[in-house]
Amino acid sequence: MTTAPQTELKRALAAAGYVADDTLAMALHLAVTLGRPLLLEGPAGVGKTEIAKALAEVRQARLIRLQCYEGLDASHAIYEWNYQRQLLAIRADGAREETLFSDRFLLRRPLLEAITQAEPPVLLIDEIDRADEEFEAYLLEILSEFQITIPELGTITATTRPLVILTANGTRDLSDALRRRCLYAYVDYPDRDTELAILARRGPALEARLARQIVGVVQALRREELEKKPGIAEMLDWAAALSGLGINDLTEDRAALQATLVCLLKTAADRDAAPPELLDRIIGKVA
Amino acid sequence: MQATRFPARAEGLADRMTGFVAHLRMNGLKLGPQETSDALAVLAEVEATDPDQARQALKVLLVPDAEGWRNFDALFDAYWFNAGRTRQRSTSAHVRTQSARPQLWQAHLGGDAGGAEGEGETAPGSGEGAAEGIDGRLIATRTQNLRKRDLRELMDEESRRAAERAARDLARAIRDRRSRRRRQALRGSQLDLRRILRASLARGGEPLDLHRRTRPERPMRIVALCDVSGSMTVYARVFLAFIKGLVDADTTADAYLFHTRLLRVTPALRDRDSLRAAGRLSLMAEGFGGGTDIGASLAAFADAYAARALSRRTVVIVLSDGYCTGTPEALAAALARIRRRARRIVWLNPLLGWTGYAPVAAAMAAALPHLDAHLPANTIDALAALETEFARL
């Protein structure tokens, strides 16, 4: 077995607090070496956004985040003129037109910001499937050419190529065109060992036995029919809550335990779907 | 799933990679020639002789979506390791079907596979050898085929047309809901004077930003779940034509069949050739005419598809007679889950058209509280009459 090129990246990510599996590390490695955008899909709460944060930390790069939403348009994502200041400038010292449309009055939004950095940043385009199709199409040009045209200023070409990470939750189907331009990785809920490692790195200091119980319960809950399956963030919240309450063993204090379930179960239906008996059974198994 | 020897004529990596991309393409991944060269470039970045690394790198590069992500490993093994040989026997049943497939299919599958020489070469093998495909090719089935019934025998042209027409009218009645209120929009017929005025204050009283308003379209989306179990066989012809009509009339509609399992059939129904669509369906509808487990099927729908298929603007149509081998509680729970995500659930029941029918079956009784409407659908006329009912919903 030759050492994989992504091993080093994996180790660095782990040092930054992110436990990645081999395929994901390979995806990130290729995104870095090939300079292609990386599209991450998967259920909510598996840490897709965290990947970008960890990667920015590893590369010691700035993280520029664009949160997508319905109705997101160019003026929120790319640039906008600062009309108020332009008006003020006209009133105050009768500024001429050339100076009005200059860098001074340009409000850089995340995409323009990302391509004008001296050091290549990590650009996180979060939940791209929430944005409209028009915006997705607009993004295609920026992602392949890395240049933005501002009518009054001309074309701004990227000084450095940002490392682009896109995330999607499956709110709607993304276009084939976007998928084709991106590398792709599907991020699923972690397996037991990975989740233990995540808890060990990110969570509060816990006894090994309690950590095993926590991960066991969360993994068992994910197999139940829940509307909103608990993600990694929920698991970490729960671990923090348990350690805050001083619970050392899940089998001991059932009443307190039931109260802490608000960290894991986020809808009324799910709370009904996970009655105390179910919890008893799960804990009985993992204890 | 079935695979394949390497082409004896393959020369070097580039040739094999071309074959691999073609193999993925045959199995439904949309890949162009650009991807082949990208794949070769990617292999230069990793240790290409290490199968794990090559697998990971190619997976990241070539897979476009979640479904491909799940299938890729098997496809990879099938191509590079001839793994089809060792795969389970269930494949051979498929190969037999392929050879027995009516002429009608050949054209369809040939088109689907995208290979010009595709079908002509698929010499069906026998016994163990059946797992072997042709040179460098793999033929994968998306579903297992246990029992089949050709739905075409159930379809005569006239009633099919009538059912489709009824469905189209129905879809239109549900879909065309335009809001009376206007909301702000980038493009719109009206200027939003209030916002323009407000924004102009920040610009020194100059109305620089022209905000607009439009009437948002609020189409209702239709999701149809059709029971194709044994007790429904006599209605299957009409109902299938009906859901085909629904899907045809509305590009956002979604259709599923269920008996003991649930199956998404929207892509098959979108086929413009109705007979061919029926043929594709009958291949997919294994176990057609068997038992029913409505509760489990609806739960499967809620698990796998609901998040994407349902919204607050969705009407779920269940076509079933309510005879169910599962427990009524499971059915009620599944309906409650769907109800929370969808706008309405309408149950079309062929038995309801019978005089003297009362929903006394335990399953139906358990389902009723979760339904917005429980309507008869035993004849095409009854289906056509639904339009006015739906317009009221």
Side-chain angles (χ1 to χ4, degrees):
Chain A
M1 175 89 190
T2 43
T3 49
Q6 79 270 33
T7 318
E8 198 175 324
L9 182 62
K10 202 173 150 180
R11 205 175 298 128
L13 282 173
Y18 194 91
V19 183
D21 67 22
D22 280 340
T23 317
L24 180 59
M26 174 63 88
L28 291 167
H29 172 73
L30 287 179
V32 172
T33 48
L34 301 179
R36 297 253 304 248
L38 172 63
L39 172 64
L40 298 172
E41 270 192 314
V46 292
K48 299 187 289 296
T49 306
E50 287 300 314
I51 293 171
K53 290 185 190 159
L55 196 65
E57 194 178 325
V58 166
R59 288 165 58 86
Q60 296 186 333
R62 225 185 115 187
L63 176 69
I64 296 176
R65 176 171 174 167
L66 174 66
Q67 172 69 49
C68 296
Y69 54 89
E70 208 182 318
L72 176 69
D73 61 10
S75 66
H76 289 109
I78 304 166
Y79 74 92
E80 198 174 15
W81 290 106
N82 192 339
Y83 298 110
Q84 280 88 337
R85 285 194 60 187
Q86 283 175 334
L87 260 170
L88 270 178
I90 295 171
R91 295 263 161 87
D93 49 45
R96 289 207 325 244
E97 194 186 334
E98 301 89 83
T99 53
L100 276 184
F101 292 103
S102 66
D103 223 29
R104 218 177 114 201
F105 299 106
L106 190 65
L107 292 175
R108 287 155 198 273
R109 302 296 187 207
L111 290 181
L112 182 59
E113 185 84 23
I115 68 164
T116 52
Q117 298 290 309
E119 294 289 314
V122 174
L123 171 64
L124 168 65
I125 300 176
D126 215 2
E127 306 194 57
I128 176 68
D129 48 350
R130 285 188 191 279
D132 303 317
E133 269 144 43
E134 293 93 350
F135 181 73
E136 195 183 308
Y138 198 98
L139 209 54
L140 290 177
E141 187 201 336
I142 296 176
L143 289 187
S144 51
E145 306 295 331
F146 288 101
Q147 62 178 34
I148 288 170
T149 304
I150 299 173
E152 296 88 350
L153 278 185
T155 302
I156 297 180
T157 313
T159 42
T160 53
R161 220 163 213 245
L163 179 62
V164 185
I165 305 242
L166 301 106
T167 73
N169 275 337
T171 312
R172 77 178 161 79
D173 270 331
L174 299 173
S175 69
D176 285 345
L178 181 72
R179 288 182 186 279
R180 279 199 57 196
R181 279 169 179 77
C182 298
L183 300 175
Y184 179 89
Y186 187 85
V187 190
D188 214 338
Y189 292 114
D191 58 28
R192 179 179 299 261
D193 291 340
T194 314
E195 192 155 24
L196 269 173
I198 294 170
L199 180 56
R201 246 175 241 290
R202 299 288 302 273
L206 296 171
E207 270 180 61
R209 189 172 54 115
L210 180 62
R212 263 202 315 281
Q213 286 177 338
I214 287 174
V215 170
V217 169
V218 171
Q219 297 245 337
L221 273 179
R222 279 188 202 133
R223 282 192 293 273
E224 296 295 323
E225 279 188 8
L226 296 180
E227 271 184 4
K228 168 81 191 75
K229 297 198 161 84
I232 295 172
E234 277 82 17
M235 185 273 294
L236 291 173
D237 282 352
W238 192 45
L242 289 175
S243 90
L245 289 173
I247 297 176
N248 285 320
D249 188 344
L250 292 189
T251 49
E252 275 170 11
D253 193 352
R254 287 297 165 81
L257 191 63
Q258 196 72 31
T260 57
L261 280 187
V262 290
C263 302
L264 291 180
L265 304 172
K266 298 289 175 75
T267 72
D270 283 354
R271 228 169 309 149
D272 296 341
E277 305 86 67
L278 171 76
L279 203 64
D280 284 354
R281 205 180 68 226
I282 292 176
I283 292 173
K285 257 186 230 160
V286 298
Chain B
M1 187 164 300
Q2 146 169 99
T4 100
R5 287 158 288 179
F6 277 122
R9 61 179 185 284
E11 283 173 17
L13 189 57
D15 211 11
R16 287 191 178 186
M17 191 56 78
T18 312
F20 182 54
V21 171
H23 159 81
L24 293 178
R25 212 177 283 140
M26 275 185 71
N27 282 286
L29 272 67
K30 287 185 198 133
L31 299 169
Q34 176 69 40
E35 271 76 16
T36 314
S37 64
D38 283 354
L40 288 168
V42 153
L43 285 190
E45 294 289 332
V46 299
E47 202 71 52
T49 47
D50 181 335
D52 282 336
Q53 284 185 41
R55 175 198 300 266
Q56 287 160 6
L58 290 176
K59 188 172 183 177
V60 164
L61 180 76
L62 297 176
V63 167
D65 53 23
E67 192 189 339
W69 191 260
R70 282 191 293 274
N71 298 337
F72 184 85
D73 285 343
L75 292 172
F76 184 90
D77 289 345
Y79 185 81
W80 297 101
F81 299 118
N82 281 1
R85 227 177 244 283
T86 56
R87 286 191 109 75
Q88 57 282 41
R89 192 75 60 86
S90 65
T91 49
S92 58
H94 168 63
V95 173
R96 267 199 302 281
T97 3
Q98 272 195 326
S99 63
R101 193 188 284 149
Q103 205 62 34
L104 182 73
W105 287 76
Q106 308 268 345
H108 154 58
L109 285 181
D112 213 17
E117 56 212 295
E119 288 306 298
E121 290 179 9
T122 22
S126 57
E128 284 301 296
E132 254 178 17
I134 41 146
D135 233 19
R137 288 287 176 83
L138 172 142
I139 309 134
T141 62
R142 296 216 178 85
T143 52
Q144 309 160 290
N145 299 288
L146 306 172
R147 280 182 59 191
K148 283 177 219 69
R149 173 173 301 210
D150 193 337
L151 300 184
R152 283 170 299 157
E153 69 188 32
L154 294 172
M155 283 222 182
D156 77 85
E157 194 68 9
E158 198 181 321
S159 56
R160 191 178 55 69
R161 286 237 179 88
E164 282 189 16
R165 209 176 314 121
R168 275 198 205 118
D169 294 344
L170 181 59
R172 212 170 300 125
I174 297 177
R175 199 179 37 170
D176 292 345
R177 297 283 168 83
R178 300 201 62 190
S179 174
R180 288 184 185 79
R181 283 200 298 185
R182 289 169 198 269
R183 61 179 247 202
Q184 61 191 57
L186 289 177
R187 291 180 296 271
S189 49
Q190 266 194 354
L191 290 174
D192 187 344
L193 282 176
R194 198 160 68 169
R195 289 191 72 218
I196 293 172
L197 207 61
R198 182 69 189 81
S200 75
L201 293 182
R203 314 268 190 272
E206 303 282 350
L208 283 176
D209 307 301
L210 295 185
H211 296 281
R212 290 177 174 275
R213 296 199 301 176
T214 190
R215 276 198 178 138
E217 279 187 51
R218 296 199 167 135
M220 295 290 255
R221 197 162 170 268
I222 301 174
V223 173
L225 298 151
C226 182
D227 186 343
V228 289
S229 61
S231 56
M232 292 286 288
T233 314
V234 285
Y235 303 103
R237 166 181 54 178
V238 179
F239 278 9
L240 281 171
F242 182 70
I243 61 171
K244 175 156 171 52
L246 286 177
V247 169
D248 277 350
D250 180 357
T251 50
T252 59
D254 212 2
Y256 302 81
L257 299 185
F258 66 89
H259 33 86
T260 49
R261 289 190 334 143
L262 181 95
L263 198 65
R264 180 157 187 263
V265 293
T266 317
L269 285 175
R270 290 234 188 278
D271 203 323
R272 270 167 296 132
D273 183 336
S274 309
L275 274 185
R276 205 165 61 190
R280 284 176 77 173
L281 279 183
S282 41
L283 183 78
M284 294 162 89
E286 61 185 77
F288 178 84
T292 339
D293 189 349
I294 306 177
S297 298
L298 294 189
F301 170 75
D303 277 340
Y305 301 104
R308 182 168 290 190
L310 300 182
S311 71
R312 295 307 296 172
R313 312 206 66 82
T314 310
V315 176
V316 178
I317 300 179
V318 183
L319 294 126
S320 171
D321 54 10
Y323 286 129
C324 177
T325 55
T327 61
E329 292 78 34
L331 176 61
L335 279 172
R337 281 176 69 195
I338 293 175
R339 182 68 209 273
R340 270 197 295 276
R341 284 182 179 270
R343 169 94 154 201
R344 305 200 188 288
I345 303 183
V346 178
W347 192 298
L348 300 184
N349 192 335
L351 302 184
L352 203 59
W354 296 8
T355 42
Y357 169 80
V360 286
M364 216 51 240
L368 271 182
H370 302 285
L371 304 181
D372 294 281
H374 185 204
L375 301 170
N378 57 332
T379 60
I380 290 174
D381 288 344
L383 289 178
L386 293 175
E387 189 189 332
T388 47
E389 295 280 344
F390 271 89
R392 232 180 288 150
L393 282 176

